[in-house]
Amino acid sequence: MNTVEIRWHGRGGQGAKTAALLLADVAFKSGKYVQGFPEYGPERMGAPITAYNRISDEPITVHSNIYEPDYVVVVDEGLLDSIDVTSGLNPSGAIVVNSAKGADEIAMKLKGYTGKVYTVDARKISVAALGKYFPNSPMLAAIVAVSKVMDKDQFLGEMEASYRHKFSKKPEVIEGNMNALRMTFEEVCV
């Protein structure tokens, strides 16, 4: 595998930065070379944010933002109307959008992007699994499912270990997040 580059678009408080950092963490634990970083500006709750991942089998020597990603993750569908989320996106890659709509309907909003379009209803999944709307876990599983940067079982194992460490006193949070990840693997739509 060559280096896979992923760009995340979301709003402050939705967990796009956290998801990018989690992906870097679990990919690193699986033996990959990784980068996971946000692009900082005047972010505040609800403001558009961008985060990035590079994942590779070889050492990564590039240290810049990602301008021509292989994959794009859109955590907030509303950003499709205000940001060109497909800018530089490789047509042989894909975009994953958090939406209850089908991929065909979303594709019409993507300024002529000709690559693969996937949707996942992160709201439905997170409310069912966690009782609240936290889109980052479903979107994290969705990009792993689409990009195949990691083996599904290895990803789920590393995520469970990460959640057990982070939420050791809250087993219901661990179980809810793991359910959200598993549900997403079943529901990513093309």
Side-chain angles (χ1 to χ4, degrees):
M1 168 174 95
N2 294 329
T3 301
V4 173
E5 295 184 323
I6 301 167
R7 185 174 64 216
W8 297 75
H9 293 279
R11 294 189 185 276
Q14 291 180 323
K17 175 184 122 178
T18 300
L21 297 177
L22 268 172
L23 179 55
D25 186 49
V26 298
F28 176 77
K29 288 177 180 171
S30 75
K32 305 280 187 197
Y33 293 90
V34 300
Q35 291 178 351
F37 55 98
E39 178 178 4
Y40 281 108
E43 278 79 18
R44 61 195 182 284
M45 188 71 83
I49 65 105
T50 310
Y52 305 93
N53 285 113
R54 281 190 182 93
I55 301 170
S56 180
D57 291 327
E58 317 232 336
I60 300 169
T61 58
V62 177
H63 299 282
S64 68
N65 287 352
I66 295 171
Y67 301 103
E68 296 180 346
D70 301 296
Y71 299 94
V72 166
V73 181
V74 181
V75 181
D76 188 317
E77 177 185 356
L79 293 172
L80 298 177
D81 297 324
S82 58
I83 295 173
D84 182 4
V85 296
T86 59
S87 176
L89 178 56
N90 187 334
S92 67
I95 184 168
V96 183
V97 180
N98 173 9
S99 178
K101 297 174 184 155
D104 290 342
E105 194 173 344
I106 293 298
M108 292 188 299
K109 293 184 165 194
L110 298 179
K111 301 179 177 28
Y113 176 67
T114 58
K116 292 181 181 169
V117 178
Y118 297 85
T119 61
V120 63
D121 190 344
R123 177 179 300 278
K124 180 181 87 173
I125 291 169
S126 66
V127 169
L130 296 159
K132 291 184 178 173
Y133 180 45
F134 296 111
N136 58 340
S137 283
M139 296 311 292
L140 175 56
I143 193 57
V144 170
V146 168
S147 69
K148 299 183 179 11
V149 293
M150 287 184 72
D151 172 75
K152 172 186 168 185
D153 293 332
Q154 186 176 29
F155 167 75
L156 291 172
E158 293 294 351
M159 286 304 299
E160 185 165 12
S162 178
Y163 288 146
R164 287 199 183 287
H165 176 73
K166 187 173 182 180
F167 301 113
S168 61
K169 305 252 191 282
K170 298 180 180 179
E172 70 283 358
V173 173
I174 299 165
E175 183 180 337
N177 274 289
M178 291 307 299
N179 286 337
L181 296 175
R182 286 187 200 98
M183 289 169 69
T184 301
F185 274 99
E186 303 302 317
E187 294 201 19
V188 175
C189 299
V190 68

